[in-house]
Amino acid sequence: DIQLTQSPVSLFASVGDTVTITCRASHHIAGRLNWYQQKSGVAPRLLIYDASRLQTGVPSRFSGAGFGGEFTLTISRLQPDDFATYYCQVSFNSPFTFGQGTKVEIK
Amino acid sequence: QITLRESGPTLVKPTQTLTLTCTFSGFPLEDSEEGVAWIRQSPGKALEWLALIDSNDDRRYSASLRSGPTIIKDTSRQQVVLRLPNADPVDTGTYYCAHFVRIYNYVTGYNPRAFDIWGQGTMVTVSS
């Protein structure tokens, strides 16, 4: 099975900062990696699919990159609404594992 | 507009079968390249993919599920049902269903592109 390792587990940032979250896959998964945002008590929301494609309605300050085994999610000009937990997820093949999450908190 | 809504018991005793229903609208789940997945989140933990079924009746399950889970679809009722036999306290959590579009790759076959639309979730506690 493919394992995903996210880093960091948590980070502190200020409004206006640029933050980057990394997701490493244990095997080659081409570009089959998705990113989700989850706020406390609410269902997750798809942000990025196929490593770098922005889901409809998601602000352009979110961007994804990577291929093969290492991927990044970058949030530019952090907004108050962006403080949440972010998960990566593999869609290469079953099982469709999620990473352990990265919590972005206000500094 | 695609919507999904989960329903099920809030409390289940250990060893009972946990039955969860996802009622969907806005897509047919037959003759379409779509499907529905179930994802669980234990309190304070990460998301965990559990199972999925697609319009072609392809069914996949996480190996972490014990005791023979079952996922079925009823397109006339627009529902997907997940049954987890022999419930255990570790099954406590919020259960989400989510829509996906499936895509084909010549190496791996059909797989979901991403879980693009989610229900609001339903909380289940397994306790005696």
Side-chain angles (χ1 to χ4, degrees), chain A residues 54-91:
Chain A
L54 198 65
Q55 174 70 349
T56 302
V58 174
S60 59
R61 64 179 182 273
F62 291 91
S63 63
F67 187 87
E70 185 160 324
F71 302 84
T72 58
L73 171 70
T74 298
I75 313 171
S76 304
R77 304 177 305 279
L78 206 62
Q79 298 299 300
D81 193 48
D82 301 336
F83 292 96
T85 300
Y86 294 85
Y87 293 93
C88 58
Q89 178 248 331
V90 60
S91 56

PDB file of all heavy atoms in Angstrom, chain A residues 54-91:
ATOM      1  N   LEU A  54      -6.679  23.317  -9.871  1.00  0.00           N
ATOM      2  CA  LEU A  54      -7.487  24.007  -8.878  1.00  0.00           C
ATOM      3  C   LEU A  54      -8.956  23.628  -9.060  1.00  0.00           C
ATOM      4  O   LEU A  54      -9.512  23.746 -10.157  1.00  0.00           O
ATOM      5  CB  LEU A  54      -7.301  25.523  -9.046  1.00  0.00           C
ATOM      6  CG  LEU A  54      -7.697  26.439  -7.910  1.00  0.00           C
ATOM      7  CD1 LEU A  54      -6.812  26.191  -6.691  1.00  0.00           C
ATOM      8  CD2 LEU A  54      -7.591  27.900  -8.351  1.00  0.00           C
ATOM      9  N   GLN A  55      -9.580  23.169  -7.977  1.00  0.00           N
ATOM     10  CA  GLN A  55     -10.997  22.840  -8.038  1.00  0.00           C
ATOM     11  C   GLN A  55     -11.797  24.119  -8.258  1.00  0.00           C
ATOM     12  O   GLN A  55     -11.441  25.205  -7.773  1.00  0.00           O
ATOM     13  CB  GLN A  55     -11.421  22.148  -6.737  1.00  0.00           C
ATOM     14  CG  GLN A  55     -12.906  21.874  -6.576  1.00  0.00           C
ATOM     15  CD  GLN A  55     -13.448  20.795  -7.509  1.00  0.00           C
ATOM     16  OE1 GLN A  55     -12.777  20.360  -8.445  1.00  0.00           O
ATOM     17  NE2 GLN A  55     -14.656  20.352  -7.247  1.00  0.00           N
ATOM     18  N   THR A  56     -12.899  24.009  -8.989  1.00  0.00           N
ATOM     19  CA  THR A  56     -13.763  25.157  -9.274  1.00  0.00           C
ATOM     20  C   THR A  56     -14.176  25.848  -7.982  1.00  0.00           C
ATOM     21  O   THR A  56     -14.601  25.205  -7.013  1.00  0.00           O
ATOM     22  CB  THR A  56     -15.017  24.691 -10.029  1.00  0.00           C
ATOM     23  OG1 THR A  56     -14.619  24.028 -11.224  1.00  0.00           O
ATOM     24  CG2 THR A  56     -15.901  25.873 -10.379  1.00  0.00           C
ATOM     25  N   GLY A  57     -14.021  27.160  -7.976  1.00  0.00           N
ATOM     26  CA  GLY A  57     -14.458  27.941  -6.821  1.00  0.00           C
ATOM     27  C   GLY A  57     -13.397  28.149  -5.762  1.00  0.00           C
ATOM     28  O   GLY A  57     -13.612  28.919  -4.816  1.00  0.00           O
ATOM     29  N   VAL A  58     -12.250  27.503  -5.902  1.00  0.00           N
ATOM     30  CA  VAL A  58     -11.171  27.645  -4.922  1.00  0.00           C
ATOM     31  C   VAL A  58     -10.308  28.850  -5.294  1.00  0.00           C
ATOM     32  O   VAL A  58      -9.928  28.998  -6.463  1.00  0.00           O
ATOM     33  CB  VAL A  58     -10.319  26.363  -4.866  1.00  0.00           C
ATOM     34  CG1 VAL A  58      -9.104  26.559  -3.950  1.00  0.00           C
ATOM     35  CG2 VAL A  58     -11.171  25.190  -4.375  1.00  0.00           C
ATOM     36  N   PRO A  59      -9.988  29.712  -4.336  1.00  0.00           N
ATOM     37  CA  PRO A  59      -9.188  30.914  -4.650  1.00  0.00           C
ATOM     38  C   PRO A  59      -7.829  30.564  -5.241  1.00  0.00           C
ATOM     39  O   PRO A  59      -7.218  29.550  -4.875  1.00  0.00           O
ATOM     40  CB  PRO A  59      -9.038  31.595  -3.291  1.00  0.00           C
ATOM     41  CG  PRO A  59     -10.174  31.082  -2.468  1.00  0.00           C
ATOM     42  CD  PRO A  59     -10.424  29.687  -2.930  1.00  0.00           C
ATOM     43  N   SER A  60      -7.359  31.412  -6.118  1.00  0.00           N
ATOM     44  CA  SER A  60      -6.094  31.165  -6.821  1.00  0.00           C
ATOM     45  C   SER A  60      -4.872  31.297  -5.918  1.00  0.00           C
ATOM     46  O   SER A  60      -3.758  30.987  -6.356  1.00  0.00           O
ATOM     47  CB  SER A  60      -5.964  32.118  -8.003  1.00  0.00           C
ATOM     48  OG  SER A  60      -6.007  33.456  -7.559  1.00  0.00           O
ATOM     49  N   ARG A  61      -5.031  31.744  -4.678  1.00  0.00           N
ATOM     50  CA  ARG A  61      -3.888  31.775  -3.759  1.00  0.00           C
ATOM     51  C   ARG A  61      -3.473  30.369  -3.323  1.00  0.00           C
ATOM     52  O   ARG A  61      -2.391  30.180  -2.759  1.00  0.00           O
ATOM     53  CB  ARG A  61      -4.181  32.646  -2.539  1.00  0.00           C
ATOM     54  CG  ARG A  61      -5.304  32.164  -1.645  1.00  0.00           C
ATOM     55  CD  ARG A  61      -5.465  33.115  -0.442  1.00  0.00           C
ATOM     56  NE  ARG A  61      -6.518  32.658   0.467  1.00  0.00           N
ATOM     57  CZ  ARG A  61      -7.789  32.968   0.321  1.00  0.00           C
ATOM     58  NH1 ARG A  61      -8.169  33.742  -0.695  1.00  0.00           N
ATOM     59  NH2 ARG A  61      -8.691  32.519   1.183  1.00  0.00           N
ATOM     60  N   PHE A  62      -4.308  29.373  -3.612  1.00  0.00           N
ATOM     61  CA  PHE A  62      -3.950  27.980  -3.367  1.00  0.00           C
ATOM     62  C   PHE A  62      -3.316  27.417  -4.639  1.00  0.00           C
ATOM     63  O   PHE A  62      -3.854  27.587  -5.740  1.00  0.00           O
ATOM     64  CB  PHE A  62      -5.177  27.141  -3.010  1.00  0.00           C
ATOM     65  CG  PHE A  62      -5.768  27.473  -1.670  1.00  0.00           C
ATOM     66  CD1 PHE A  62      -6.767  28.421  -1.561  1.00  0.00           C
ATOM     67  CD2 PHE A  62      -5.317  26.836  -0.524  1.00  0.00           C
ATOM     68  CE1 PHE A  62      -7.324  28.740  -0.326  1.00  0.00           C
ATOM     69  CE2 PHE A  62      -5.866  27.142   0.726  1.00  0.00           C
ATOM     70  CZ  PHE A  62      -6.868  28.100   0.817  1.00  0.00           C
ATOM     71  N   SER A  63      -2.197  26.734  -4.486  1.00  0.00           N
ATOM     72  CA  SER A  63      -1.579  26.102  -5.643  1.00  0.00           C
ATOM     73  C   SER A  63      -0.916  24.803  -5.218  1.00  0.00           C
ATOM     74  O   SER A  63      -0.476  24.652  -4.064  1.00  0.00           O
ATOM     75  CB  SER A  63      -0.567  27.035  -6.310  1.00  0.00           C
ATOM     76  OG  SER A  63       0.495  27.339  -5.423  1.00  0.00           O
ATOM     77  N   GLY A  64      -0.862  23.865  -6.151  1.00  0.00           N
ATOM     78  CA  GLY A  64      -0.236  22.574  -5.887  1.00  0.00           C
ATOM     79  C   GLY A  64       0.805  22.266  -6.940  1.00  0.00           C
ATOM     80  O   GLY A  64       0.717  22.735  -8.077  1.00  0.00           O
ATOM     81  N   ALA A  65       1.800  21.483  -6.537  1.00  0.00           N
ATOM     82  CA  ALA A  65       2.859  21.094  -7.461  1.00  0.00           C
ATOM     83  C   ALA A  65       3.382  19.727  -7.061  1.00  0.00           C
ATOM     84  O   ALA A  65       3.159  19.248  -5.945  1.00  0.00           O
ATOM     85  CB  ALA A  65       3.985  22.125  -7.450  1.00  0.00           C
ATOM     86  N   GLY A  66       4.104  19.117  -8.001  1.00  0.00           N
ATOM     87  CA  GLY A  66       4.760  17.845  -7.702  1.00  0.00           C
ATOM     88  C   GLY A  66       4.364  16.752  -8.662  1.00  0.00           C
ATOM     89  O   GLY A  66       3.365  16.841  -9.391  1.00  0.00           O
ATOM     90  N   PHE A  67       5.185  15.686  -8.654  1.00  0.00           N
ATOM     91  CA  PHE A  67       4.941  14.524  -9.505  1.00  0.00           C
ATOM     92  C   PHE A  67       5.789  13.388  -8.983  1.00  0.00           C
ATOM     93  O   PHE A  67       6.922  13.593  -8.540  1.00  0.00           O
ATOM     94  CB  PHE A  67       5.322  14.837 -10.957  1.00  0.00           C
ATOM     95  CG  PHE A  67       4.946  13.728 -11.922  1.00  0.00           C
ATOM     96  CD1 PHE A  67       3.694  13.668 -12.489  1.00  0.00           C
ATOM     97  CD2 PHE A  67       5.872  12.739 -12.252  1.00  0.00           C
ATOM     98  CE1 PHE A  67       3.334  12.648 -13.354  1.00  0.00           C
ATOM     99  CE2 PHE A  67       5.537  11.716 -13.119  1.00  0.00           C
ATOM    100  CZ  PHE A  67       4.261  11.677 -13.684  1.00  0.00           C
ATOM    101  N   GLY A  68       5.216  12.203  -9.053  1.00  0.00           N
ATOM    102  CA  GLY A  68       5.993  11.031  -8.674  1.00  0.00           C
ATOM    103  C   GLY A  68       5.872  10.703  -7.194  1.00  0.00           C
ATOM    104  O   GLY A  68       5.026   9.885  -6.806  1.00  0.00           O
ATOM    105  N   GLY A  69       6.705  11.353  -6.374  1.00  0.00           N
ATOM    106  CA  GLY A  69       6.714  10.996  -4.957  1.00  0.00           C
ATOM    107  C   GLY A  69       6.680  12.167  -3.997  1.00  0.00           C
ATOM    108  O   GLY A  69       6.463  11.964  -2.798  1.00  0.00           O
ATOM    109  N   GLU A  70       6.877  13.378  -4.478  1.00  0.00           N
ATOM    110  CA  GLU A  70       6.875  14.533  -3.581  1.00  0.00           C
ATOM    111  C   GLU A  70       5.983  15.637  -4.136  1.00  0.00           C
ATOM    112  O   GLU A  70       6.081  16.004  -5.308  1.00  0.00           O
ATOM    113  CB  GLU A  70       8.296  15.068  -3.373  1.00  0.00           C
ATOM    114  CG  GLU A  70       8.353  16.203  -2.361  1.00  0.00           C
ATOM    115  CD  GLU A  70       9.742  16.417  -1.786  1.00  0.00           C
ATOM    116  OE1 GLU A  70      10.472  15.423  -1.584  1.00  0.00           O
ATOM    117  OE2 GLU A  70      10.091  17.579  -1.523  1.00  0.00           O
ATOM    118  N   PHE A  71       5.131  16.159  -3.257  1.00  0.00           N
ATOM    119  CA  PHE A  71       4.119  17.129  -3.657  1.00  0.00           C
ATOM    120  C   PHE A  71       4.060  18.255  -2.635  1.00  0.00           C
ATOM    121  O   PHE A  71       4.404  18.062  -1.464  1.00  0.00           O
ATOM    122  CB  PHE A  71       2.748  16.450  -3.749  1.00  0.00           C
ATOM    123  CG  PHE A  71       2.709  15.303  -4.702  1.00  0.00           C
ATOM    124  CD1 PHE A  71       3.124  14.033  -4.303  1.00  0.00           C
ATOM    125  CD2 PHE A  71       2.286  15.468  -6.008  1.00  0.00           C
ATOM    126  CE1 PHE A  71       3.112  12.966  -5.173  1.00  0.00           C
ATOM    127  CE2 PHE A  71       2.262  14.407  -6.895  1.00  0.00           C
ATOM    128  CZ  PHE A  71       2.686  13.158  -6.478  1.00  0.00           C
ATOM    129  N   THR A  72       3.628  19.429  -3.094  1.00  0.00           N
ATOM    130  CA  THR A  72       3.485  20.561  -2.196  1.00  0.00           C
ATOM    131  C   THR A  72       2.159  21.264  -2.417  1.00  0.00           C
ATOM    132  O   THR A  72       1.637  21.302  -3.533  1.00  0.00           O
ATOM    133  CB  THR A  72       4.617  21.587  -2.377  1.00  0.00           C
ATOM    134  OG1 THR A  72       4.625  22.029  -3.740  1.00  0.00           O
ATOM    135  CG2 THR A  72       5.961  20.993  -2.011  1.00  0.00           C
ATOM    136  N   LEU A  73       1.641  21.816  -1.333  1.00  0.00           N
ATOM    137  CA  LEU A  73       0.505  22.726  -1.368  1.00  0.00           C
ATOM    138  C   LEU A  73       1.019  24.055  -0.844  1.00  0.00           C
ATOM    139  O   LEU A  73       1.592  24.108   0.258  1.00  0.00           O
ATOM    140  CB  LEU A  73      -0.630  22.226  -0.480  1.00  0.00           C
ATOM    141  CG  LEU A  73      -1.802  23.202  -0.272  1.00  0.00           C
ATOM    142  CD1 LEU A  73      -2.599  23.365  -1.568  1.00  0.00           C
ATOM    143  CD2 LEU A  73      -2.722  22.716   0.856  1.00  0.00           C
ATOM    144  N   THR A  74       0.832  25.105  -1.619  1.00  0.00           N
ATOM    145  CA  THR A  74       1.268  26.440  -1.212  1.00  0.00           C
ATOM    146  C   THR A  74       0.052  27.340  -1.087  1.00  0.00           C
ATOM    147  O   THR A  74      -0.810  27.357  -1.969  1.00  0.00           O
ATOM    148  CB  THR A  74       2.259  27.027  -2.221  1.00  0.00           C
ATOM    149  OG1 THR A  74       3.429  26.188  -2.264  1.00  0.00           O
ATOM    150  CG2 THR A  74       2.684  28.432  -1.816  1.00  0.00           C
ATOM    151  N   ILE A  75       0.003  28.061   0.018  1.00  0.00           N
ATOM    152  CA  ILE A  75      -1.036  29.060   0.226  1.00  0.00           C
ATOM    153  C   ILE A  75      -0.338  30.416   0.266  1.00  0.00           C
ATOM    154  O   ILE A  75       0.472  30.682   1.174  1.00  0.00           O
ATOM    155  CB  ILE A  75      -1.820  28.833   1.532  1.00  0.00           C
ATOM    156  CG1 ILE A  75      -2.243  27.374   1.686  1.00  0.00           C
ATOM    157  CG2 ILE A  75      -3.060  29.745   1.564  1.00  0.00           C
ATOM    158  CD1 ILE A  75      -2.828  27.033   3.041  1.00  0.00           C
ATOM    159  N   SER A  76      -0.629  31.238  -0.702  1.00  0.00           N
ATOM    160  CA  SER A  76      -0.018  32.567  -0.773  1.00  0.00           C
ATOM    161  C   SER A  76      -0.949  33.581  -0.107  1.00  0.00           C
ATOM    162  O   SER A  76      -2.171  33.429  -0.141  1.00  0.00           O
ATOM    163  CB  SER A  76       0.218  32.964  -2.229  1.00  0.00           C
ATOM    164  OG  SER A  76       0.993  31.991  -2.889  1.00  0.00           O
ATOM    165  N   ARG A  77      -0.360  34.593   0.498  1.00  0.00           N
ATOM    166  CA  ARG A  77      -1.144  35.694   1.104  1.00  0.00           C
ATOM    167  C   ARG A  77      -2.247  35.105   1.988  1.00  0.00           C
ATOM    168  O   ARG A  77      -3.437  35.311   1.755  1.00  0.00           O
ATOM    169  CB  ARG A  77      -1.729  36.586   0.015  1.00  0.00           C
ATOM    170  CG  ARG A  77      -0.701  37.162  -0.931  1.00  0.00           C
ATOM    171  CD  ARG A  77      -1.360  37.986  -2.049  1.00  0.00           C
ATOM    172  NE  ARG A  77      -2.362  37.225  -2.764  1.00  0.00           N
ATOM    173  CZ  ARG A  77      -2.114  36.359  -3.719  1.00  0.00           C
ATOM    174  NH1 ARG A  77      -0.865  36.099  -4.078  1.00  0.00           N
ATOM    175  NH2 ARG A  77      -3.090  35.722  -4.327  1.00  0.00           N
ATOM    176  N   LEU A  78      -1.821  34.405   3.003  1.00  0.00           N
ATOM    177  CA  LEU A  78      -2.729  33.704   3.913  1.00  0.00           C
ATOM    178  C   LEU A  78      -3.839  34.631   4.409  1.00  0.00           C
ATOM    179  O   LEU A  78      -3.577  35.768   4.834  1.00  0.00           O
ATOM    180  CB  LEU A  78      -1.912  33.170   5.089  1.00  0.00           C
ATOM    181  CG  LEU A  78      -2.415  31.936   5.845  1.00  0.00           C
ATOM    182  CD1 LEU A  78      -2.473  30.718   4.937  1.00  0.00           C
ATOM    183  CD2 LEU A  78      -1.520  31.666   7.035  1.00  0.00           C
ATOM    184  N   GLN A  79      -5.062  34.130   4.344  1.00  0.00           N
ATOM    185  CA  GLN A  79      -6.233  34.873   4.801  1.00  0.00           C
ATOM    186  C   GLN A  79      -6.777  34.257   6.091  1.00  0.00           C
ATOM    187  O   GLN A  79      -6.539  33.078   6.368  1.00  0.00           O
ATOM    188  CB  GLN A  79      -7.310  34.870   3.718  1.00  0.00           C
ATOM    189  CG  GLN A  79      -6.897  35.543   2.417  1.00  0.00           C
ATOM    190  CD  GLN A  79      -6.563  36.996   2.621  1.00  0.00           C
ATOM    191  OE1 GLN A  79      -7.406  37.782   3.064  1.00  0.00           O
ATOM    192  NE2 GLN A  79      -5.328  37.367   2.311  1.00  0.00           N
ATOM    193  N   PRO A  80      -7.531  35.021   6.883  1.00  0.00           N
ATOM    194  CA  PRO A  80      -8.094  34.458   8.131  1.00  0.00           C
ATOM    195  C   PRO A  80      -8.894  33.182   7.891  1.00  0.00           C
ATOM    196  O   PRO A  80      -8.909  32.285   8.747  1.00  0.00           O
ATOM    197  CB  PRO A  80      -8.991  35.595   8.631  1.00  0.00           C
ATOM    198  CG  PRO A  80      -8.374  36.841   8.084  1.00  0.00           C
ATOM    199  CD  PRO A  80      -7.836  36.449   6.732  1.00  0.00           C
ATOM    200  N   ASP A  81      -9.549  33.086   6.736  1.00  0.00           N
ATOM    201  CA  ASP A  81     -10.373  31.920   6.422  1.00  0.00           C
ATOM    202  C   ASP A  81      -9.537  30.671   6.135  1.00  0.00           C
ATOM    203  O   ASP A  81     -10.068  29.563   6.051  1.00  0.00           O
ATOM    204  CB  ASP A  81     -11.241  32.236   5.191  1.00  0.00           C
ATOM    205  CG  ASP A  81     -12.337  31.209   4.976  1.00  0.00           C
ATOM    206  OD1 ASP A  81     -13.034  30.876   5.949  1.00  0.00           O
ATOM    207  OD2 ASP A  81     -12.477  30.728   3.838  1.00  0.00           O
ATOM    208  N   ASP A  82      -8.216  30.814   5.979  1.00  0.00           N
ATOM    209  CA  ASP A  82      -7.356  29.690   5.593  1.00  0.00           C
ATOM    210  C   ASP A  82      -6.823  28.899   6.786  1.00  0.00           C
ATOM    211  O   ASP A  82      -6.177  27.865   6.586  1.00  0.00           O
ATOM    212  CB  ASP A  82      -6.169  30.196   4.766  1.00  0.00           C
ATOM    213  CG  ASP A  82      -6.612  30.917   3.502  1.00  0.00           C
ATOM    214  OD1 ASP A  82      -7.740  30.640   3.023  1.00  0.00           O
ATOM    215  OD2 ASP A  82      -5.834  31.751   2.993  1.00  0.00           O
ATOM    216  N   PHE A  83      -7.082  29.376   8.005  1.00  0.00           N
ATOM    217  CA  PHE A  83      -6.580  28.644   9.167  1.00  0.00           C
ATOM    218  C   PHE A  83      -7.457  27.413   9.364  1.00  0.00           C
ATOM    219  O   PHE A  83      -8.643  27.510   9.665  1.00  0.00           O
ATOM    220  CB  PHE A  83      -6.530  29.558  10.389  1.00  0.00           C
ATOM    221  CG  PHE A  83      -5.491  30.633  10.242  1.00  0.00           C
ATOM    222  CD1 PHE A  83      -5.842  31.899   9.786  1.00  0.00           C
ATOM    223  CD2 PHE A  83      -4.160  30.355  10.508  1.00  0.00           C
ATOM    224  CE1 PHE A  83      -4.860  32.881   9.616  1.00  0.00           C
ATOM    225  CE2 PHE A  83      -3.190  31.330  10.344  1.00  0.00           C
ATOM    226  CZ  PHE A  83      -3.528  32.590   9.887  1.00  0.00           C
ATOM    227  N   ALA A  84      -6.847  26.253   9.142  1.00  0.00           N
ATOM    228  CA  ALA A  84      -7.583  24.998   9.059  1.00  0.00           C
ATOM    229  C   ALA A  84      -6.569  23.859   9.038  1.00  0.00           C
ATOM    230  O   ALA A  84      -5.363  24.091   9.151  1.00  0.00           O
ATOM    231  CB  ALA A  84      -8.422  24.969   7.780  1.00  0.00           C
ATOM    232  N   THR A  85      -7.078  22.636   8.880  1.00  0.00           N
ATOM    233  CA  THR A  85      -6.215  21.475   8.701  1.00  0.00           C
ATOM    234  C   THR A  85      -6.276  21.041   7.240  1.00  0.00           C
ATOM    235  O   THR A  85      -7.348  21.045   6.628  1.00  0.00           O
ATOM    236  CB  THR A  85      -6.652  20.327   9.628  1.00  0.00           C
ATOM    237  OG1 THR A  85      -6.565  20.765  10.991  1.00  0.00           O
ATOM    238  CG2 THR A  85      -5.751  19.110   9.448  1.00  0.00           C
ATOM    239  N   TYR A  86      -5.114  20.696   6.690  1.00  0.00           N
ATOM    240  CA  TYR A  86      -5.000  20.329   5.288  1.00  0.00           C
ATOM    241  C   TYR A  86      -4.535  18.876   5.177  1.00  0.00           C
ATOM    242  O   TYR A  86      -3.611  18.449   5.889  1.00  0.00           O
ATOM    243  CB  TYR A  86      -4.029  21.270   4.575  1.00  0.00           C
ATOM    244  CG  TYR A  86      -4.575  22.675   4.527  1.00  0.00           C
ATOM    245  CD1 TYR A  86      -4.384  23.552   5.596  1.00  0.00           C
ATOM    246  CD2 TYR A  86      -5.319  23.122   3.434  1.00  0.00           C
ATOM    247  CE1 TYR A  86      -4.920  24.831   5.577  1.00  0.00           C
ATOM    248  CE2 TYR A  86      -5.855  24.405   3.404  1.00  0.00           C
ATOM    249  CZ  TYR A  86      -5.663  25.243   4.481  1.00  0.00           C
ATOM    250  OH  TYR A  86      -6.201  26.514   4.458  1.00  0.00           O
ATOM    251  N   TYR A  87      -5.180  18.144   4.265  1.00  0.00           N
ATOM    252  CA  TYR A  87      -4.850  16.739   4.053  1.00  0.00           C
ATOM    253  C   TYR A  87      -4.493  16.491   2.592  1.00  0.00           C
ATOM    254  O   TYR A  87      -5.173  16.992   1.684  1.00  0.00           O
ATOM    255  CB  TYR A  87      -6.041  15.834   4.388  1.00  0.00           C
ATOM    256  CG  TYR A  87      -6.445  15.800   5.845  1.00  0.00           C
ATOM    257  CD1 TYR A  87      -7.434  16.652   6.332  1.00  0.00           C
ATOM    258  CD2 TYR A  87      -5.843  14.908   6.725  1.00  0.00           C
ATOM    259  CE1 TYR A  87      -7.808  16.623   7.663  1.00  0.00           C
ATOM    260  CE2 TYR A  87      -6.217  14.869   8.061  1.00  0.00           C
ATOM    261  CZ  TYR A  87      -7.199  15.733   8.517  1.00  0.00           C
ATOM    262  OH  TYR A  87      -7.567  15.701   9.841  1.00  0.00           O
ATOM    263  N   CYS A  88      -3.486  15.684   2.364  1.00  0.00           N
ATOM    264  CA  CYS A  88      -3.255  15.155   1.033  1.00  0.00           C
ATOM    265  C   CYS A  88      -3.891  13.766   0.949  1.00  0.00           C
ATOM    266  O   CYS A  88      -4.181  13.141   1.975  1.00  0.00           O
ATOM    267  CB  CYS A  88      -1.767  15.097   0.694  1.00  0.00           C
ATOM    268  SG  CYS A  88      -0.740  14.111   1.818  1.00  0.00           S
ATOM    269  N   GLN A  89      -4.122  13.302  -0.270  1.00  0.00           N
ATOM    270  CA  GLN A  89      -4.793  12.016  -0.477  1.00  0.00           C
ATOM    271  C   GLN A  89      -4.358  11.446  -1.816  1.00  0.00           C
ATOM    272  O   GLN A  89      -4.288  12.164  -2.815  1.00  0.00           O
ATOM    273  CB  GLN A  89      -6.315  12.192  -0.449  1.00  0.00           C
ATOM    274  CG  GLN A  89      -7.123  10.936  -0.691  1.00  0.00           C
ATOM    275  CD  GLN A  89      -7.879  10.962  -1.992  1.00  0.00           C
ATOM    276  OE1 GLN A  89      -8.255  12.021  -2.476  1.00  0.00           O
ATOM    277  NE2 GLN A  89      -8.099   9.801  -2.579  1.00  0.00           N
ATOM    278  N   VAL A  90      -4.059  10.169  -1.854  1.00  0.00           N
ATOM    279  CA  VAL A  90      -3.608   9.524  -3.083  1.00  0.00           C
ATOM    280  C   VAL A  90      -4.805   8.944  -3.827  1.00  0.00           C
ATOM    281  O   VAL A  90      -5.685   8.327  -3.222  1.00  0.00           O
ATOM    282  CB  VAL A  90      -2.552   8.439  -2.769  1.00  0.00           C
ATOM    283  CG1 VAL A  90      -3.108   7.354  -1.866  1.00  0.00           C
ATOM    284  CG2 VAL A  90      -2.025   7.807  -4.049  1.00  0.00           C
ATOM    285  N   SER A  91      -4.820   9.119  -5.160  1.00  0.00           N
ATOM    286  CA  SER A  91      -5.891   8.556  -5.972  1.00  0.00           C
ATOM    287  C   SER A  91      -5.324   7.666  -7.080  1.00  0.00           C
ATOM    288  O   SER A  91      -6.005   7.375  -8.059  1.00  0.00           O
ATOM    289  CB  SER A  91      -6.758   9.679  -6.574  1.00  0.00           C
ATOM    290  OG  SER A  91      -5.964  10.584  -7.314  1.00  0.00           O
TER     291      SER A  91
END
